Amino acid sequence: MITARVIRISEPGGVEVLRLDQSEIAEPGGSEVLVAVRAAGLNRADVLQRRGLYPAPPGYPQDIPGLEFAGEVVRVGPRARCYQPGDRVMGITAGGAMSTHLLARERELIPIPMRLSFAEAAAIPEVFLTAYDALLIQGGLRAGQAVLIHSIGSGVGSAALQLGLLAGAQVIGTSRSELKLETCRGLGLKHAVLVKDAAFARQVREQTEGRMAQLILDTVGGAYLGENIEALAPGGQIIVIGLLGGARGDLSLNSLLAKRASIHGSVLRSRSLEEKAALAQGFIRELLPRFESGELRPVIDRVMPMDSIQQAQRRMEQNLNFGKIVLQW
Amino acid sequence: MITARVIRISEPGGVEVLRLDQSEIAEPGGSEVLVAVRAAGLNRADVLQRRGLYPAPPGYPQDIPGLEFAGEVVRVGPRARCYQPGDRVMGITAGGAMSTHLLARERELIPIPMRLSFAEAAAIPEVFLTAYDALLIQGGLRAGQAVLIHSIGSGVGSAALQLGLLAGAQVIGTSRSELKLETCRGLGLKHAVLVKDAAFARQVREQTEGRMAQLILDTVGGAYLGENIEALAPGGQIIVIGLLGGARGDLSLNSLLAKRASIHGSVLRSRSLEEKAALAQGFIRELLPRFESGELRPVIDRVMPMDSIQQAQRRMEQNLNFGKIVLQW
């Protein structure tokens, strides 16, 4: 047993329920790896979990937030083959990453490229695995296609922007903040759409010269559903990964049929271990070299000490961040 | 030019607007084939087109209904390679099949198996290509999976039932008519669900022992949207091919995300020629031998003379048919 320092959600509530505490972590068995966590990225799911709205899946701590981490391998289980103590690794987990120690399965881990610090690495897994899965794996985005990315200034948005450009697609990014759009232009965004009153389909038509978007990465949900179908090209695909604009929407099946379009709900957290491992391995093969070369890079809002978790979550709730907030021990 | 006899929609309206008329058909050019139509299947789209609610795509006659046909090749264009005069063929078209003559592109045609009459063949293309595309191509239905097929007593429903059983899937069929369910049991349906008040998810849970349906073939639309998501297994797929229960629905994106599910709108009529040709060629390779062997067979409600088109459409509007209504010259 290792005694780890952790962030504890003492009860559902505001940021004041978050406090430093201790927890016991078991020794690694089988192909498990014990990671000394150096930094953990902050996600909206952490905020929802703190409010009691997004429980961790069975088998994960309910009261320790944290869905991604970067750190150093401390000990490995008897059947672990890929890592040894001292290796720098990052990854996603379904809960409990805001802890000084974490048990991970080695096939879910991703080596940290030389050029990146732990804090930089902690900003990668959730947003880049999500964008990789949605745009490239599920969406099959190809060169020449148009992809519409909502909340382009968010963590997932700025990761998706980079992947879309890497894939040779026409990336159209939306935000309700001109400031965030301006910052994204610095990351290579050429087609920026400022959204007012949840309207954007007309601008997508203009930017694509009528071809519309083959793929839409949506973090908003209900409020954008109608315009999303409007903005979609025939045979196009909407991948919904977040519901910041409401969980219910009035769906025009007529339009869906006429366009032969599809709507996909997608989350990483509830996937099976095998699926997560397959995603991590694909990421290692296809995208990790692009981080090593510097073509892809994490977008970090700020790095804060772990004991500033209350301020960090408040900053996210106020939507003040551009890119990832990272907490480090 | 050939002078063909046709069914004409004189103006949008009730069945009384349908009448026998004449129309000029051009000689086959390129790889076109002139087909002497012997029989044409009746579809709901014909009824909608008559009412003025479902215009034919550009390039197809607006006032001659008919989406599928069986007949004999009369003449072929100078670049046609696959067929010669006398060959028996069937196929889908985006309009104009209720005519004694029709120009078709040869890659969209399907040879008629020896054992089938023209009337039997005319009952195959729309429903079996639709079910083939939805269940096997888009849905990727595999042995051991559970598939929920709504309106199992409809033309598409009874075709999908046969394909689902052929694929080794557990087929659950719904209908609002106990009589139609009973008839489907004769086609091999083991899991029949009588739908009252648009509720069926609970029965799907029972029939699948909690596994739910990996795939749902839906012809109802809005009224079934909520229960469809309820009845779906994690990662499952709803393919909507009809909207008999309304074109709008309240979509719970929460459930869609939680299940990582997807909703697809699908129609054959508006597809590109290339897509339709690819579908026909896949069908020839994969399913035609099963018609030749008798494992698959068209389900025919009744065969009527073409000049009974008014009675035929009325019968469909009153939902009295089980299987296809076929009109023959």
Coordinates of all heavy atoms in Angstrom, one line a residue, chain A residues 139-170:
Chain A
G139 N -14.9 9.9 -37.4 CA -15.3 10.8 -38.5 C -14.6 10.5 -39.8 O -15.1 10.8 -40.9
G140 N -13.5 9.8 -39.7 CA -12.8 9.4 -41.0 C -12.4 10.7 -41.8 O -12.4 10.6 -43.0
L141 N -12.1 11.8 -41.1 CA -11.8 13.0 -41.8 C -10.7 12.9 -42.8 O -9.6 12.4 -42.5 CB -11.5 14.1 -40.8 CG -11.3 15.5 -41.3 CD1 -12.7 16.0 -41.9 CD2 -10.8 16.5 -40.2
R142 N -11.0 13.4 -44.0 CA -10.0 13.3 -45.1 C -9.6 14.6 -45.6 O -10.3 15.6 -45.5 CB -10.5 12.5 -46.3 CG -10.8 11.0 -46.0 CD -11.0 10.2 -47.3 NE -12.0 10.8 -48.2 CZ -13.3 10.5 -48.2 NH1 -13.8 9.6 -47.3 NH2 -14.1 11.1 -49.0
A143 N -8.4 14.7 -46.3 CA -8.0 15.9 -46.9 C -9.0 16.4 -47.9 O -9.6 15.7 -48.6 CB -6.7 15.7 -47.6
G144 N -9.3 17.7 -47.8 CA -10.2 18.3 -48.7 C -11.6 18.5 -48.2 O -12.4 19.2 -48.7
Q145 N -11.9 17.7 -47.2 CA -13.3 17.8 -46.6 C -13.3 19.1 -45.6 O -12.3 19.6 -45.2 CB -13.6 16.6 -45.7 CG -13.8 15.3 -46.6 CD -14.2 14.1 -45.8 OE1 -13.9 13.9 -44.7 NE2 -15.1 13.3 -46.5
A146 N -14.6 19.5 -45.4 CA -14.7 20.6 -44.5 C -15.2 20.1 -43.1 O -16.2 19.3 -43.1 CB -15.8 21.6 -45.0
V147 N -14.6 20.5 -42.1 CA -15.0 20.1 -40.7 C -15.4 21.3 -39.9 O -14.6 22.3 -39.9 CB -14.0 19.2 -40.0 CG1 -12.6 20.0 -39.9 CG2 -14.4 18.8 -38.6
L148 N -16.5 21.3 -39.3 CA -17.0 22.4 -38.4 C -16.7 22.0 -37.0 O -17.2 20.9 -36.5 CB -18.5 22.6 -38.6 CG -19.1 23.7 -37.7 CD1 -18.6 25.1 -38.0 CD2 -20.7 23.7 -38.0
I149 N -15.9 22.8 -36.3 CA -15.6 22.5 -34.9 C -16.1 23.6 -34.0 O -15.7 24.8 -34.1 CB -14.0 22.4 -34.7 CG1 -13.5 21.3 -35.6 CG2 -13.7 22.2 -33.3 CD1 -12.0 21.3 -35.7
H150 N -17.1 23.2 -33.1 CA -17.6 24.2 -32.2 C -16.7 24.4 -31.0 O -15.9 23.5 -30.7 CB -19.0 23.8 -31.8 CG -20.1 23.8 -32.9 ND1 -20.3 25.0 -33.6 CD2 -20.9 22.9 -33.4 CE1 -21.2 24.8 -34.5 NE2 -21.6 23.5 -34.4
S151 N -16.9 25.5 -30.3 CA -16.1 25.9 -29.2 C -14.6 25.7 -29.5 O -13.9 25.0 -28.8 CB -16.5 25.0 -28.0 OG -17.8 24.9 -27.8
I152 N -14.2 26.3 -30.6 CA -12.8 26.1 -31.1 C -11.8 26.5 -30.1 O -10.6 26.0 -30.1 CB -12.7 26.8 -32.5 CG1 -11.4 26.4 -33.2 CG2 -12.8 28.3 -32.3 CD1 -11.5 25.1 -34.0
G153 N -12.2 27.4 -29.2 CA -11.2 27.9 -28.2 C -11.1 27.0 -27.0 O -10.3 27.2 -26.1
S154 N -11.9 25.9 -26.9 CA -11.8 25.0 -25.8 C -10.6 24.1 -25.9 O -10.0 24.1 -27.0 CB -13.1 24.2 -25.7 OG -13.1 23.3 -26.8
G155 N -10.4 23.3 -24.9 CA -9.3 22.4 -25.0 C -9.4 21.4 -26.1 O -8.5 21.2 -27.0
V156 N -10.6 20.8 -26.2 CA -10.8 19.8 -27.3 C -10.8 20.6 -28.7 O -10.3 20.1 -29.7 CB -12.2 19.1 -27.2 CG1 -12.5 18.2 -28.4 CG2 -12.2 18.2 -25.9
G157 N -11.4 21.8 -28.7 CA -11.5 22.6 -29.9 C -10.1 22.9 -30.5 O -9.9 22.7 -31.7
S158 N -9.2 23.3 -29.6 CA -7.9 23.7 -30.1 C -7.1 22.4 -30.5 O -6.3 22.5 -31.5 CB -7.1 24.5 -29.1 OG -7.0 23.8 -27.9
A159 N -7.3 21.3 -29.9 CA -6.7 20.0 -30.3 C -7.3 19.6 -31.7 O -6.6 19.2 -32.6 CB -6.9 18.9 -29.3
A160 N -8.6 19.7 -31.8 CA -9.3 19.3 -33.0 C -8.9 20.2 -34.2 O -8.7 19.7 -35.3 CB -10.8 19.3 -32.9
L161 N -8.7 21.5 -33.9 CA -8.2 22.4 -34.9 C -6.8 21.9 -35.5 O -6.6 21.8 -36.7 CB -8.0 23.8 -34.3 CG -7.2 24.8 -35.1 CD1 -7.9 25.1 -36.5 CD2 -7.2 26.2 -34.3
Q162 N -5.9 21.5 -34.6 CA -4.6 21.1 -35.0 C -4.7 19.8 -35.8 O -4.1 19.6 -36.9 CB -3.7 20.9 -33.8 CG -3.3 22.2 -33.1 CD -2.4 21.9 -31.9 OE1 -1.3 21.4 -32.1 NE2 -2.8 22.2 -30.7
L163 N -5.6 18.9 -35.4 CA -5.7 17.6 -36.1 C -6.4 17.8 -37.4 O -6.0 17.2 -38.4 CB -6.5 16.6 -35.3 CG -5.9 16.1 -34.0 CD1 -6.7 14.9 -33.4 CD2 -4.4 15.7 -34.2
G164 N -7.4 18.7 -37.5 CA -8.0 19.0 -38.7 C -7.1 19.5 -39.8 O -7.1 19.1 -41.0
L165 N -6.2 20.5 -39.3 CA -5.3 21.1 -40.3 C -4.2 20.0 -40.7 O -3.9 19.9 -41.9 CB -4.6 22.3 -39.6 CG -5.5 23.5 -39.3 CD1 -4.7 24.5 -38.5 CD2 -6.1 24.1 -40.5
L166 N -3.8 19.2 -39.7 CA -2.8 18.1 -40.0 C -3.4 17.2 -41.1 O -2.7 16.7 -42.0 CB -2.5 17.3 -38.8 CG -1.4 16.3 -38.8 CD1 -0.1 17.0 -38.9 CD2 -1.4 15.4 -37.5
A167 N -4.7 16.9 -41.0 CA -5.4 16.0 -41.9 C -5.7 16.6 -43.3 O -6.2 16.0 -44.2 CB -6.7 15.5 -41.3
G168 N -5.4 17.9 -43.5 CA -5.6 18.6 -44.7 C -7.0 19.0 -45.0 O -7.4 19.2 -46.1
A169 N -7.8 19.1 -43.9 CA -9.2 19.5 -44.0 C -9.3 21.0 -44.0 O -8.4 21.7 -43.5 CB -10.0 18.8 -42.9
Q170 N -10.5 21.5 -44.4 CA -10.8 22.9 -44.2 C -11.5 23.0 -42.9 O -12.6 22.4 -42.7 CB -11.8 23.4 -45.3 CG -12.2 24.8 -45.1 CD -13.4 25.2 -46.1 OE1 -14.0 24.4 -46.7 NE2 -13.6 26.5 -46.1

